[in-house]
Amino acid sequence: MNREVILKELEKIVGKEYATNRSEDLYIYSQDPGASLPRSVDFVVMPNTTEEVQAIVKLANQEKISIVPMGGGLTLSGLIIPVKGGIVLDMKRMNQILEINQFSRYALIEAGVTTGQIISHLNENFQDLQPPIPDAPPSATVAGNMLIHGSGYLSQKYGGHGAMINGLEVVLPNGEICKLGSCAVSDYWFDRGPIPDFIGLFISAFGTMGIITKLSIQLFPKPKMRDIVFGLMNSPKDIPNVLLKITATGYAEDILLGMQDKPEWMKGYIFIMTYITGDSEEDLDRQRKTLKRIYRKTNARFMKPSEKMKNLYLEKPIFAAGAADFRKGGGFEYVGAFMPLEKIPEAYEKGADLARKYGILPTLGSRLIGGVHTVVMFFSYSFNRADPKDMENAREALHETNKLALDLGGIPWKSELDGQKLILERIDPSYKKLMKTFQNALDPNKIMNSGNWEVN
Ligand SMILES: Cc1cc2nc3c(=O)[nH]c(=O)nc-3n(C[C@H](O)[C@H](O)[C@H](O)COP(=O)(O)OP(=O)(O)OC[C@H]3O[C@@H](n4cnc5c(N)ncnc54)[C@H](O)[C@@H]3O)c2cc1C
């Protein structure tokens, strides 16, 4: 079929106003807010139901065109820009919150529900519950975030977001609709098992294993009170000791660390923010005292922030993306890397050296996931969007940072194509073989976000 005939077929499925191949519509979908170069898109389609998604997948198989599922498109690493052209499947119309279960504490939602939408819905209707969402802009989707092993302000205490998925409804690459988790057996979407757990196959797969249309996510009780205990360290070497001591208390809801040369007073320090929660002032006070003591004993010192600063960081999720404009021009991308705690001091030192080598202001940060089991390390680079050379410089810095993270025993997170290739170069051959087996079995026509996780 030629492009116009395919468009007509897509229009039949979703309606004329929700399928397009007009260049002025495709333009914005050919790029993302990160440093990737634009790539071409053939169609954008906005389905409204699982059955429409299914019909699109069947058509794509017939025509052997790639499909790229897209939520908010905010990963920054080009994951929703097609590598081999084809259809961008914009999920934003599938935005129904289907159920909030207060007993088993989960939300059953469609894949286009945004993080802003779920938090507003809970704030309005279920004030004692909070969702696990990232500190990303509110137009990010819950599904998009969970499907990339995302994390947020509840992750230190409760773990990574990928692990908080109770169940999925998926349109497989062959067009079949499949339910995963307890919902495959029961009317309740309250758990993943106890049956063979295939949900992990869809996480960090970047849409290559199928299109998620519904998901159940865990919800958590909302604390009555929250506070932050700020501290400063002189050297990254002190980080592991401080973190081991803090996490051993069991007090921290979230722990964020950072190092940046701007504003001037932060230069040379590692700052730490330990979030605590409680039912009363006395409760919080007891925790504050313990944490201050830990800071003192581990070479860190307590810092009293201004009320303005404290209030800014008490907002949950935090949305403080000032670093994006350090270089003027508004461009910003980071290598997030999952790292073992013992390598964090080196990651800070080498990460800062690397930023300086590329003439970029060092802006490093980290967040703990599940105690100290994983630290997500952020190596952020700002660039001027209007200057192609500056963007190229940032891309080179990002690439070298991916290598650094791998050399330090970490794994780049939500990796763009080059990063995926680096990971695949180092991955155990039997893992690669298993990936290929899954890909061939599920997607023989190689239509799902083609080019990503490409195993030869
Ligand atoms: C300022 C800023 C702050 C951020 N802070 C955080 C943070 O604190 N924590 C964090 O985890 N992330 C953070 N991020 C990264 C990212 O924005 C979020 O993780 C975001 O939630 C991703 O969701 P999305 O809807 O934009 O996903 P998208 O970019 O649309 O998609 C992500 C991936 O999932 C796939 N996908 C999307 N929907 C589906 C579906 N229905 N079926 C199958 N595959 C699908 C896409 O193909 C893509 O590969 C931040 C980003 C920015 C810009």
Side-chain angles (χ1 to χ4, degrees):
M1 277 188 220
N2 70 31
R3 274 169 62 98
E4 290 313 310
V5 182
I6 294 173
L7 180 67
K8 287 271 168 307
E9 290 300 312
L10 290 168
E11 286 175 352
K12 268 193 228 158
I13 298 168
V14 292
K16 209 169 164 37
E17 59 277 48
Y18 297 113
T20 181
N21 66 355
R22 289 193 315 212
S23 53
E24 58 271 38
D25 295 329
L26 303 183
Y27 173 77
I28 195 71
Y29 290 89
S30 68
Q31 51 199 298
D32 80 353
S36 298
L37 290 169
R39 298 190 286 258
S40 68
V41 180
D42 295 310
F43 306 94
V44 174
V45 187
M46 298 183 79
N48 195 31
T49 64
T50 301
E51 289 67 32
E52 288 179 5
V53 173
Q54 182 179 40
I56 296 163
V57 170
K58 286 185 175 166
L59 177 69
N61 264 304
Q62 190 187 305
E63 297 304 319
K64 312 252 186 313
I65 348 175
S66 177
I67 301 187
V68 182
M70 172 184 168
L74 281 165
T75 54
L76 303 172
S77 41
L79 296 178
I80 43 74
I81 317 175
V83 181
K84 301 191 176 171
I87 301 170
V88 172
L89 197 74
D90 185 334
M91 300 297 286
K92 286 190 197 68
R93 286 178 72 218
M94 295 187 64
N95 62 359
Q96 299 300 308
I97 297 173
L98 302 167
E99 183 192 352
I100 302 293
N101 186 308
Q102 290 175 276
F103 294 100
S104 301
R105 288 203 185 112
Y106 66 80
L108 174 61
I109 59 176
E110 289 188 320
V113 168
T114 63
T115 59
Q117 200 186 337
I118 188 81
I119 199 161
S120 308
H121 184 77
L122 294 177
N123 284 345
E124 275 165 35
N125 304 295
F126 301 90
Q127 281 89 6
D128 54 344
L129 289 175
Q130 55 179 348
I133 56 177
D135 292 321
S139 56
T141 60
V142 177
N145 173 258
M146 297 215 145
L147 291 172
I148 55 162
H149 273 109
S151 55
Y153 63 99
L154 298 177
S155 293
Q156 195 291 135
K157 191 165 180 181
Y158 297 112
H161 292 167
M164 296 174 183
I165 298 176
N166 285 341
L168 296 176
E169 179 189 81
V170 186
V171 176
L172 295 173
N174 66 2
E176 271 175 34
I177 300 170
C178 181
K179 280 184 177 171
L180 300 162
S182 63
C183 63
V185 184
S186 151
D187 288 340
Y188 297 92
W189 295 59
F190 66 105
D191 202 341
R192 286 163 96 118
I195 49 177
D197 183 2
F198 300 138
I199 287 175
L201 203 55
F202 297 84
I203 305 176
S204 285
F206 308 151
T208 56
M209 297 286 169
I211 297 159
I212 280 62
T213 43
K214 291 189 187 91
L215 68 161
S216 161
I217 61 157
Q218 295 175 359
L219 301 174
F220 298 90
K222 200 194 273 182
K224 278 203 188 120
M225 302 172 90
R226 190 178 264 137
D227 197 13
I228 315 172
V229 186
F230 288 78
L232 289 176
M233 286 174 257
N234 290 317
S235 163
K237 293 196 171 54
D238 295 323
I239 295 174
N241 192 22
V242 177
L243 294 184
L244 284 170
K245 294 240 162 32
I246 295 174
T247 49
T249 63
Y251 291 163
E253 181 193 44
D254 188 14
I255 305 178
L256 292 168
L257 301 170
M259 185 179 106
Q260 54 187 63
D261 282 7
K262 236 182 178 180
E264 196 60 35
W265 66 265
M266 284 176 98
K267 208 170 174 169
Y269 292 110
I270 310 285
F271 68 84
I272 174 164
M273 299 194 289
T274 307
Y275 286 77
I276 51 173
T277 56
D279 285 339
S280 63
E281 254 318 307
E282 296 76 58
D283 195 5
L284 290 181
D285 214 38
R286 185 176 43 82
Q287 299 179 52
R288 280 185 206 111
K289 282 188 184 133
T290 309
L291 290 169
K292 284 183 196 171
R293 219 171 20 247
I294 289 176
Y295 285 177
R296 255 199 324 272
K297 284 191 176 160
T298 51
N299 283 343
R301 66 182 139 98
F302 168 69
M303 185 187 102
K304 193 169 167 41
S306 67
E307 275 308 296
K308 190 175 162 208
M309 181 172 163
K310 192 165 177 170
N311 289 337
L312 175 75
Y313 287 104
L314 268 175
E315 276 279 311
K316 287 293 190 176
I318 322 168
F319 182 52
D325 218 26
F326 281 171
R327 216 166 167 84
K328 301 296 167 203
F332 150 73
E333 186 173 333
Y334 57 92
V335 166
F338 281 32
M339 309 271 311
L341 177 65
E342 55 269 50
K343 286 295 187 177
I344 292 299
E346 238 183 297
Y348 271 88
E349 278 158 5
K350 294 195 168 152
D353 288 347
L354 209 144
R356 288 188 192 107
K357 175 179 157 188
Y358 285 89
I360 301 174
L361 212 65
T363 312
L364 300 148
S366 28
R367 165 173 263 152
L368 267 64
I369 300 188
V372 286
H373 293 122
T374 293
V375 183
V376 194
M377 183 76 209
F378 310 101
F379 305 84
S380 307
Y381 300 115
S382 58
F383 51 86
N384 182 350
R385 293 207 147 273
D387 180 349
K389 273 203 183 133
D390 206 33
M391 284 182 76
E392 174 64 26
N393 181 56
R395 276 194 296 277
E396 282 171 17
L398 289 159
H399 190 60
E400 199 172 332
T401 309
N402 279 329
K403 287 188 186 156
L404 171 69
L406 283 160
D407 288 345
L408 290 176
I411 305 171
W413 164 58
K414 65 179 175 63
S415 241
E416 77 294 351
L417 288 178
D418 281 346
Q420 291 170 34
K421 283 184 191 136
L422 288 175
I423 295 172
L424 288 173
E425 272 166 31
R426 301 197 191 195
I427 214 163
D428 186 292
S430 59
Y431 202 104
K432 210 160 151 178
K433 199 170 150 202
L434 191 62
M435 269 172 91
K436 198 168 171 62
T437 306
F438 287 131
Q439 287 172 353
N440 287 345
L442 288 174
D443 186 16
N445 291 325
K446 301 197 179 346
I447 59 158
M448 296 306 307
N449 210 353
S450 318
N452 282 276
W453 290 132
E454 202 165 62
V455 184
N456 299 310

